[in-house]
Amino acid sequence: MRISLTVLCLSVLIKDASASTWCYTGCEHTPSRWPDLDGSFCGGQRQSPVDIQNRHVEKDDSLGSFSFVNFSSRHTFRAIVNNGHTAKLLLKDNEVELSGGGLNGTYSTIQFHFHWGDTEHHPGSEHTIDGRRYPMEMHIVSMKKGLSVAQAVEDSAGIAALGFFFDATEDEDLSNPWSALTSYLLNQTDTEVNVAHLISIDDLIEDVDLTKYYRYMGSLTTPSCNEAVAWTVFQEPIRVNRILLQQFPLKTGLTNVYRPIQDLRGRKVFSSPAVLLPPSHVWCYAEDCDFSPSKWTLLPDSHCGGERQSPVNIEAQNAVKDERLDGFAFTKFDDKHVVKYITNTGHTVKLVLEEGAMELSGGGLGHVYSTLQFHFHWGSSSPNSEGSEHTIDSRRFPMEVHIVNKRKDLTLDEAVNATTGLAVLGFFIEAAASKSSGGGENHEDSEVSSDIPSHVSVTGSWKALSNYLEAIQTIGSQVEVTEELSLAELLGDVDLTSYYRYNGSLTTPSCNEAVVWTVFKESVKVDPSLLTMFPNRTGFRDVFRPTQSLHGRKIYTTAGGSALAPVELLLLLFFVSVSLSPVIAN
Ligand SMILES: *[C@@H]1O[C@H](CO)[C@@H](O)[C@H](O)[C@H]1NC(C)=O
Ligand SMILES: *[C@@H]1O[C@H](CO)[C@@H](O)[C@H](O)[C@H]1NC(C)=O
Ligand SMILES: *[C@@H]1O[C@H](CO)[C@@H](O)[C@H](O)[C@H]1NC(C)=O
Ligand SMILES: *[C@@H]1O[C@H](CO)[C@@H](O)[C@H](O)[C@H]1NC(C)=O
Ligand SMILES: [Zn+2]
Ligand SMILES: [Zn+2]
């Protein structure tokens, strides 16, 4: 048997010997290193928690109501314990049960525990809904009846976990079950404190509509992250006074005890029929839908009406020269194996990269950024299509690719709320003109712009991309990328030293004003057939936001490489892969 019983956070009977070997912060094995732990499944394919995107949730009529046994009994709480990772409430053995709710069989409830952020109102739920993290989350953990712990973690649905979000209220009434429960929180670890108050699980969740929930198959969210959990995440949060919620970090001394979001990797999230999927999330680019770009400001948590929005029109003449805008250093941009998967979001085609593989620095950014994903904006399938987001002197290019990078020292949550938390690189894409001859003279093809090279061909990476577009024609579909495909090859030999720089926003809701924009002057030239494949394969077109007012912002520009010898510059700016960099540094 490969499972080490000692590392199960579930088990109430077995001492948690792994407590000192993993952590959320401040030790060697933080979440990104959990996969390295002995017997760990944390690097697997169906990990939890996940971000639940309402847009991609599928209703499932078989997700009916739950049946609970003894959830209303006020005699089932045994003890509360701080295990160094969370506050866990232990239930009496074999008294609490649940079934129904689309689960196969009956589950015996053994404990519940919490995930939270810090005392500075930093939220700490594990699951997020449309990217929103709630202040806190409670997990009620049950094991399939009749299975031992060892058997349960080997069964793909051996464990049923119920997740409840919390919302902080200003409610004055503190004489409720939550103030009784929080009174038992303790910073001393591994000491079981008996719960004398008479509290039931129902007392804690009474206001939540238990027919409204999401369902997906995932894992434990602590090592060994066994992929044995049928997750139920309730849509409605438990509402508790914010002072009581703060007791969790204050009294336990534990902060930010939640695992970061894991990739769905093609998994589906289902919802019970009662879940109301909010229409507010149905934003679009077209003018004939409910939330067209001019109405994005009305969406919840929207920044789209702010004063540093993107995209913008760049007036080349008015751009201010800035000597500090030097060359970029790219790490692993030429690696052909860092794209994890490609997905059709209904708004774009997005390629998501291996976490932490690609990096970006230099270019006057002042921080190291790690590359998360890249995606495309396009117009129609006509030969003169215009679909870029940025425009230069009011000229709109056929397409634009955005390479999205997050400051390496910040979490994604922090980055989208920091003024320069994200760095996005924008490249225009246009058709290469097909030249008839390779002669050095220009007089023959006066209609054709002379700055387009004659040797453009469809490279391997563009071929791979076009193959994958075939595979993701339905909205929401996602395919693992196994063919060789690199960003460096998609961009070709475009000049990386000449660019514009300004402070702006994400160009899709919630339009967070957290982006340092780099818009490259030279466009990527591709075979014309590659431009039309985006609208043709996906079935949607004109996926770009109109340009936004500058509101007095300045746009800066690289000084223009006249002074430096081009050969030296090239050496500095070449895609530096990790294996080569020590050589270059010497
Ligand atoms: C419910 O809990 C009570 C004690 O609180 C226990 O006696 C009873 O057996 C439990 N019911 C079931 C069905 O387990
Ligand atoms: C219930 O069993 C079916 C058939 O084996 C399976 O497809 C489904 O995922 C199971 N659902 C849960 C929640 O365990
Ligand atoms: C635990 O709490 C006690 C009393 O509130 C406090 O004196 C002590 O410093 C705390 N210990 C830790 C390790 O936080
Ligand atoms: C962007 O904003 C940051 C922080 O306010 C500032 O330091 C920086 O100079 C701005 N950059 C540009 C290009 O405006
Ligand atoms: Zn948990
Ligand atoms: Zn974009």
Side-chain angles (χ1 to χ4, degrees):
M1 175 157 309
R2 291 174 304 140
I3 308 269
S4 148
L5 285 184
T6 55
V7 295
L8 294 174
C9 78
L10 272 187
S11 167
V12 297
L13 302 170
I14 299 162
K15 179 97 181 100
D16 188 356
S18 72
S20 56
T21 68
W22 64 269
C23 64
Y24 293 101
T25 50
C27 78
E28 190 187 342
H29 286 106
T30 51
S32 62
R33 304 281 312 279
W34 290 357
D36 307 339
L37 292 164
D38 278 351
S40 170
F41 298 88
C42 303
Q45 300 290 314
R46 53 168 269 197
Q47 289 291 297
S48 295
V50 299
D51 179 38
I52 296 172
Q53 299 186 338
N54 277 310
R55 200 148 37 91
H56 296 154
V57 164
E58 198 171 297
K59 267 202 169 56
D60 181 348
D61 290 330
S62 73
L63 299 178
S65 35
F66 285 94
S67 309
F68 300 105
V69 172
N70 270 343
F71 266 51
S72 58
S73 164
R74 296 203 165 111
H75 302 275
T76 59
F77 289 19
R78 192 161 66 75
I80 188 164
V81 61
N82 173 347
N83 68 3
H85 302 301
T86 186
K88 182 156 71 174
L89 212 131
L90 309 174
L91 300 173
K92 291 181 184 158
D93 291 341
N94 305 317
E95 290 196 0
V96 187
E97 285 181 10
L98 62 94
S99 59
L103 296 171
N104 299 322
T106 302
Y107 288 76
S108 184
T109 306
I110 52 181
Q111 52 107 326
F112 61 90
H113 63 265
F114 303 87
H115 299 272
W116 60 81
D118 63 23
T119 51
E120 310 294 320
H121 307 291
H122 187 107
S125 71
E126 295 214 296
H127 291 91
T128 56
I129 304 278
D130 290 325
R132 175 179 176 206
R133 194 177 294 285
Y134 286 82
M136 206 165 98
E137 185 170 337
M138 173 169 80
H139 292 158
I140 301 181
V141 180
S142 309
M143 257 170 37
K144 200 176 258 183
K145 217 175 164 179
L147 297 189
S148 66
V149 174
Q151 289 167 329
V153 297
E154 291 275 32
D155 184 322
S156 86
I159 294 157
L162 309 183
F164 291 87
F165 294 121
F166 287 73
D167 246 353
T169 69
E170 298 293 332
D171 192 350
E172 292 300 317
D173 173 25
L174 300 183
S175 64
N176 57 39
W178 285 104
S179 64
L181 192 74
T182 51
S183 72
Y184 292 97
L185 293 169
L186 201 62
N187 66 6
Q188 196 179 349
T189 56
D190 297 327
T191 306
E192 293 192 4
V193 183
N194 290 324
V195 179
H197 283 78
L198 299 181
I199 312 168
S200 72
I201 299 179
D202 277 348
D203 290 338
L204 300 174
I205 60 176
E206 61 180 356
D207 293 333
V208 177
D209 182 342
L210 299 172
T211 68
K212 294 181 177 165
Y213 60 89
Y214 302 96
R215 165 66 41 75
Y216 78 98
M217 302 308 279
S219 73
L220 298 177
T221 66
T222 53
S224 305
C225 311
N226 303 68
E227 299 187 327
V229 183
W231 272 99
T232 303
V233 178
F234 291 93
Q235 186 181 33
E236 293 185 357
I238 302 172
R239 295 168 50 77
V240 177
N241 182 285
R242 108 192 123 70
I243 294 164
L244 294 177
L245 293 184
Q246 279 178 6
Q247 300 306 301
F248 285 86
L250 277 177
K251 295 184 81 173
T252 61
L254 303 171
T255 53
N256 297 315
V257 286
Y258 63 93
R259 186 186 193 193
I261 291 299
Q262 305 296 303
D263 274 314
L264 272 173
R265 291 182 183 267
R267 280 174 290 171
K268 276 233 163 69
V269 179
F270 300 92
S271 78
S272 63
V275 168
L276 297 173
L277 296 174
S280 55
H281 291 275
V282 189
W283 61 269
C284 61
Y285 290 105
E287 275 310 318
D288 57 355
C289 71
D290 286 346
F291 288 92
S292 58
S294 59
K295 295 186 190 135
W296 288 358
T297 53
L298 305 174
L299 294 168
D301 301 320
S302 172
H303 303 268
C304 304
E307 304 224 318
R308 60 169 269 199
Q309 289 291 297
S310 295
V312 296
N313 175 45
I314 296 168
E315 289 178 12
Q317 284 300 319
N318 295 340
V320 180
K321 283 206 168 105
D322 185 344
E323 300 287 345
R324 287 166 306 177
L325 300 180
D326 55 358
F328 287 97
F330 298 96
T331 303
K332 289 220 172 181
F333 266 50
D334 58 349
D335 190 320
K336 294 184 170 169
H337 304 278
V338 294
V339 178
K340 266 198 312 198
Y341 63 86
I342 180 170
T343 178
N344 174 343
T345 69
H347 299 299
T348 189
V349 165
K350 179 165 79 176
L351 292 96
V352 176
L353 306 170
E354 214 71 69
E355 219 175 290
M358 271 172 45
E359 280 182 14
L360 172 70
S361 59
L365 291 173
H367 292 280
V368 178
Y369 288 81
S370 59
T371 310
L372 305 177
Q373 49 106 332
F374 59 98
H375 62 264
F376 298 86
H377 297 271
W378 63 83
S380 68
S381 52
S382 86
N384 307 317
S385 164
E386 297 181 338
S388 70
E389 295 215 291
H390 289 91
T391 56
I392 305 280
D393 296 327
S394 299
R395 173 178 175 212
R396 195 177 293 286
F397 288 77
M399 277 183 71
E400 186 169 335
V401 58
H402 288 159
I403 306 170
V404 181
N405 308 271
K406 168 189 78 76
R407 240 173 71 183
K408 207 181 164 184
D409 57 333
L410 301 180
T411 65
L412 188 55
D413 280 338
E414 290 165 346
V416 297
N417 290 306
T419 54
T420 60
L422 301 169
V424 183
L425 309 181
F427 290 90
F428 298 116
I429 305 175
E430 61 184 327
S434 46
K435 280 197 174 183
S436 43
S437 75
E441 284 134 40
N442 283 333
H443 61 265
E444 277 176 16
D445 35 49
S446 49
E447 322 95 312
V448 178
S449 161
S450 59
D451 57 14
I452 294 173
S454 56
H455 55 271
V456 171
S457 62
V458 180
T459 63
S461 288
W462 280 101
K463 259 197 201 109
L465 182 56
S466 92
N467 291 343
Y468 283 118
L469 280 183
E470 284 287 355
I472 54 161
Q473 302 198 22
T474 35
I475 290 173
S477 56
Q478 177 174 314
V479 170
E480 198 184 337
V481 170
T482 51
E483 283 186 54
E484 297 202 324
L485 199 166
S486 78
L487 255 173
E489 203 175 44
L490 289 178
L491 297 178
D493 51 10
V494 65
D495 178 4
L496 298 165
T497 66
S498 296
Y499 56 86
Y500 298 104
R501 164 64 46 77
Y502 77 99
N503 281 340
S505 73
L506 296 175
T507 65
T508 54
S510 310
C511 311
N512 298 58
E513 299 188 326
V515 182
V516 189
W517 273 97
T518 304
V519 178
F520 290 86
K521 296 184 184 179
E522 194 191 328
S523 60
V524 177
K525 311 290 190 305
V526 301
D527 190 272
S529 65
L530 297 175
L531 295 174
T532 51
M533 78 181 176
F534 284 86
N536 286 346
R537 299 266 162 80
T538 61
F540 48 88
R541 47 184 279 182
D542 296 321
V543 285
F544 59 90
R545 186 188 192 191
T547 53
Q548 306 293 303
S549 163
L550 274 175
H551 288 289
R553 277 174 292 171
K554 278 213 181 86
I555 297 179
Y556 298 86
T557 172
T558 43
S562 49
L564 279 163
V567 175
E568 277 172 65
L569 255 182
L570 267 180
L571 270 180
L572 286 170
L573 296 165
F574 238 87
F575 297 113
V576 180
S577 67
V578 159
S579 56
L580 286 178
S581 51
V583 178
I584 287 176
N586 291 335

